[in-house]
Amino acid sequence: MSIKSTMMDYPLTLSTLVERLKTYYPRVEVVSRLPDKTLHRTHYLDIHKRTKRLASALTKRGVKKGEGVATLMWNHYGHLEAYLGVPIMGGVLHTVNLRLSPKDIAYIINHAGDKVLIIDDILLPLYEQFKDDVALDEVIVVPLTGEKVNSEYTDYEDYLKLGDDDFSYPIIDENDAAGMCYTSGTTGRPKGVVYSHRSTVLHAMAEAMVDTLGVSQSDVVTPVVPMFHANAWGLSYTSVLVGAKQALPGPHLDAESLMDLYQSEQVTLSAGVPTIWMAIKTAREAEPNRWKTAPNMRMVVGGAAVPESLFRAFDKFDMTIIQAWGMTETGPLATVGIVKESLSDLDEDAKYACRIKQGLTLPFIDIRIVDEEGVELPWDGKTSGNAELKGPWVTAAYHKNEGAEDSFSEDGWLKTGDVCQIDQEGYVKLTDRTKDLVKSGGEWISSVDLENAIMGHPDVLEAAVIAVAHPKWDERPLAVVVVKEDKQITTDDIRQFLDGKFTKMWLPDAVEVIAEIPKTSTGKFMKMALREQYKNWVWE
Ligand code: ADP
């Protein structure tokens, strides 16, 4: 007779997280910066109560299991309540990126088939631009400004009053849909990724591990990454799971507002794309004594490659950058760039070389690199290949099965579209996005490596390297840079600065100085727009 497991089949669902708020963390604060910049303060007991009321009200108003509830909201208590309240009643929280065009927002809401929209009052002008293109049963408005909500919409506070305090959780399977998020479409049309309760819970547990982001009860967490982008990298759920205080920035994402929030709430962990940290670096360097942040604050930086100069600068401010790599399709966390204990003897420069890599995969995330034919490549730290992932919080398809042909291998791995190397220690190093690589004379040049190095130049604020067609070499790298105020820079300056760091063949043939690098809706460099802008470039 074979031995069978005697363990319970206990579902991993979000209601467990909601109940823990009341049982263990009732007095832990949730602070939100409102549009008028004042701070709204509440605590998890109240969030618990309002979350259940929201779940109850949605149920009473006819939202059914598996139906989408869209949100158009900044990061604040109301969004957190929707994060929890929608999935626990069986609904699917669809966080919509408010920086998309009204046309794209309508497309996404229709594509997901959302029935209800919860929206910040300050975003109503955006809704008005697409309301004729969507068919929603109800629009619920969160009165962040305190002004009375127009009677054609439902006031969120009134909506909560419809709900009961003793909402009883429906039976939910851990594999039921909990949330959905569309890819930001940096490289194509947005596609819907649908997270399950199970994937969300497991992602939160993995993110809390000491050797990943180590989120704990003693943290004060500020996701600068929007809650409409890849679930704020999971930090809302992870903070709830462990009972960490949250300090949410609302619509104020400029460096000064963020630094003020970090100081007033003594934030210990924050997260966002590199452009946010570049702005903070400039602000801190301009006024080194203005702010006092919590000792050894950690900042999770990802979404785009992080230049070494940023790690070094923040170490001086006692703010430690932890790099993370992932995508909407992967929960989103796939790797975290920690230095392994067995490498702790490395000298300082080698440690930075390790930290600028995207890092080690989280437990249960499998990775492989493959060539164009799908043949697996070695982990020797030199061979680049297309990275493919598998894991419990990696999507196996897109909503309505769109885009499947390009995105998944025949044996079921997710094709990330990122070109990576993996070394023998297991460190993943992203060399480029497949679409951003510069193919010059049969060789692949990593735009990411060049950008990182150029951003180390003391007079450079931002740099993006793009491939531009070349009559002899096929493509050559063009560097587009933004320089610091009152500074000037030439192609020769940059080439000299890079000399010795790369082979001659890699050095950009031209450097263009511009006022600002165009950014995507999630704050990444929009290289597609730059390629378009420079497509008729003539090499001298
Ligand atoms: P989009 O694909 O529209 O940009 P995502 O936010 O899902 O939307 O972005 C995922 C992509 O972001 C990854 O495939 C990768 O190219 C890039 N990325 C994420 N984290 C990092 C990182 N730490 N370093 C470099 N690139 C990163």
Side-chain angles (χ1 to χ4, degrees):
M1 195 182 93
S2 67
I3 300 173
K4 291 208 166 61
S5 156
T6 59
M7 291 298 112
M8 292 184 186
D9 184 12
Y10 187 91
L12 306 177
T13 57
L14 291 169
S15 52
T16 299
L17 272 59
V18 173
E19 281 311 300
R20 286 179 68 87
L21 291 182
K22 182 179 169 196
T23 315
Y24 298 114
Y25 317 120
R27 289 179 300 282
V28 174
E29 266 192 311
V30 174
V31 181
S32 311
R33 198 188 274 282
L34 297 176
D36 68 0
K37 290 211 160 187
T38 57
L39 294 176
H40 169 284
R41 290 183 185 275
T42 184
H43 43 68
Y44 278 141
L45 184 62
D46 204 41
I47 295 280
H48 165 88
K49 185 171 161 191
R50 288 162 59 90
T51 289
K52 290 185 81 170
R53 279 181 166 260
L54 174 62
S56 166
L58 288 163
T59 311
K60 283 189 181 173
R61 294 288 262 224
V63 174
K64 301 264 172 323
K65 198 166 163 190
E67 280 181 346
V69 174
T71 58
L72 266 176
M73 294 161 117
W74 294 102
N75 295 9
H76 55 71
Y77 64 94
H79 214 166
L80 182 61
E81 288 158 8
Y83 256 58
L84 301 168
V86 174
I88 59 168
M89 57 73 58
V92 184
L93 174 87
H94 175 197
T95 52
V96 180
N97 181 344
L98 55 88
R99 297 208 184 96
L100 295 179
S101 69
K103 203 166 122 267
D104 281 347
I105 294 179
Y107 166 80
I108 286 176
I109 288 181
N110 290 331
H111 192 265
D114 299 326
K115 288 285 157 63
V116 175
L117 169 68
I118 311 180
I119 183 170
D120 290 348
D121 54 1
I122 53 169
L123 293 170
L124 275 172
L126 173 62
Y127 171 65
E128 269 149 29
Q129 294 176 58
F130 67 83
K131 71 174 179 189
D132 294 337
D133 303 321
V134 293
L136 295 162
D137 292 348
E138 189 150 20
V139 176
I140 303 163
V141 179
V142 184
L144 289 182
T145 59
E147 277 171 36
K148 205 171 152 28
V149 172
N150 186 322
S151 60
E152 67 183 282
Y153 308 116
T154 308
D155 183 315
Y156 179 68
E157 297 301 328
D158 291 341
Y159 196 76
L160 293 186
K161 288 185 195 134
L162 292 174
D164 300 324
D165 282 336
D166 61 353
F167 168 77
S168 61
Y169 297 104
I171 293 175
I172 288 178
D173 187 281
E174 63 176 16
N175 288 308
D176 283 344
M180 79 188 294
C181 193
Y182 278 73
T183 61
S184 46
T186 309
T187 56
R189 195 143 205 193
K191 290 181 291 230
V193 174
V194 184
Y195 308 107
S196 64
H197 280 258
R198 175 186 153 86
S199 74
T200 308
V201 168
L202 287 175
H203 183 271
M205 298 224 286
E207 192 165 79
M209 288 173 55
V210 174
D211 284 332
T212 63
L213 303 189
V215 188
S216 87
Q217 215 189 117
S218 48
D219 274 314
V220 180
V221 179
T222 297
V224 180
V225 49
M227 290 168 80
F228 57 74
H229 181 219
N231 273 344
W233 299 350
L235 283 170
S236 310
Y237 291 120
T238 308
S239 301
V240 166
L241 173 74
V242 302
K245 169 174 168 176
Q246 302 193 43
L248 304 171
H252 303 291
L253 304 181
D254 60 287
E256 195 171 331
S257 301
L258 291 172
M259 285 307 304
D260 286 349
L261 188 67
Y262 294 158
Q263 175 170 275
S264 77
E265 304 311 309
Q266 288 294 291
V267 170
T268 58
L269 177 75
S270 191
V273 291
T275 43
I276 298 273
W277 309 110
M278 288 175 195
I280 288 185
K281 172 173 173 271
T282 308
R284 282 216 93 163
E285 281 171 349
E287 294 178 273
N289 300 319
R290 178 161 166 197
W291 293 282
K292 190 152 178 40
T293 44
N296 196 17
M297 180 180 164
R298 287 118 69 215
M299 286 125 46
V300 187
V301 188
V306 190
E308 184 174 332
S309 52
L310 213 60
F311 284 93
R312 289 185 184 263
F314 277 97
D315 280 346
K316 291 206 187 90
F317 309 141
D318 192 25
M319 295 165 93
T320 306
I321 291 183
I322 304 171
Q323 177 161 204
W325 170 64
M327 1 173 19
T328 304
E329 290 86 336
T330 64
L333 232 64
T335 67
V336 175
I338 53 144
V339 179
K340 284 200 275 190
E341 189 53 36
S342 54
L343 300 178
S344 57
D345 293 343
L346 291 179
D347 67 28
E348 199 182 285
D349 285 347
K351 275 198 183 128
Y352 279 114
C354 187
R355 288 172 66 196
I356 62 164
K357 293 179 185 171
Q358 278 62 27
L360 307 174
T361 57
L362 271 64
F364 301 109
I365 295 290
D366 296 340
I367 188 165
R368 68 182 186 189
I369 47 173
V370 298
D371 67 11
E372 297 300 306
E373 272 76 51
V375 176
E376 227 178 305
L377 298 168
W379 291 19
D380 57 10
K382 297 191 293 271
T383 311
S384 293
N386 298 311
E388 299 187 341
L389 295 173
K390 259 192 181 175
W393 52 90
V394 176
T395 200
Y398 289 105
H399 184 49
K400 299 187 177 164
N401 232 358
E402 282 173 6
E405 48 306 328
D406 302 328
S407 306
F408 301 95
S409 70
E410 276 175 18
D411 52 350
W413 293 68
L414 171 78
K415 299 183 185 175
T416 62
D418 288 330
V419 181
C420 295
Q421 298 167 350
I422 308 178
D423 65 22
Q424 285 167 350
E425 295 282 351
Y427 281 88
V428 176
K429 178 178 184 293
L430 184 143
T431 50
D432 228 324
R433 282 193 145 182
T434 322
K435 295 183 173 75
D436 293 340
L437 274 172
V438 186
K439 294 168 196 102
S440 173
E443 194 184 336
W444 284 6
I445 297 176
S446 158
S447 66
V448 171
D449 284 353
L450 285 173
E451 285 160 8
N452 280 348
I454 297 171
M455 283 192 270
H457 189 289
D459 297 341
V460 171
L461 214 49
E462 294 177 344
V465 171
I466 53 164
V468 174
H470 190 282
K472 179 166 174 207
W473 299 108
D474 210 8
E475 287 176 352
R476 288 293 300 152
L478 169 73
V480 184
V481 302
V482 179
V483 288
K484 290 188 182 158
E485 227 174 275
D486 304 328
K487 301 287 181 193
Q488 282 175 348
I489 229 162
T490 63
T491 301
D492 282 344
D493 294 335
I494 292 293
R495 286 179 62 93
Q496 260 166 33
F497 180 70
L498 298 178
D499 195 28
K501 297 189 174 88
F502 300 97
T503 64
K504 281 261 174 317
M505 189 65 192
W506 273 48
L507 303 190
D509 291 345
V511 174
E512 273 281 285
V513 176
I514 59 171
E516 197 185 343
I517 294 182
K519 312 266 176 0
T520 68
S521 63
T522 51
K524 305 184 190 190
F525 292 161
M526 202 185 330
K527 294 212 202 164
M528 213 153 64
L530 285 177
R531 279 197 291 269
E532 184 58 30
Q533 191 176 334
Y534 292 101
K535 70 175 180 212
N536 297 322
W537 177 265
V538 181
W539 295 104
E540 284 176 7

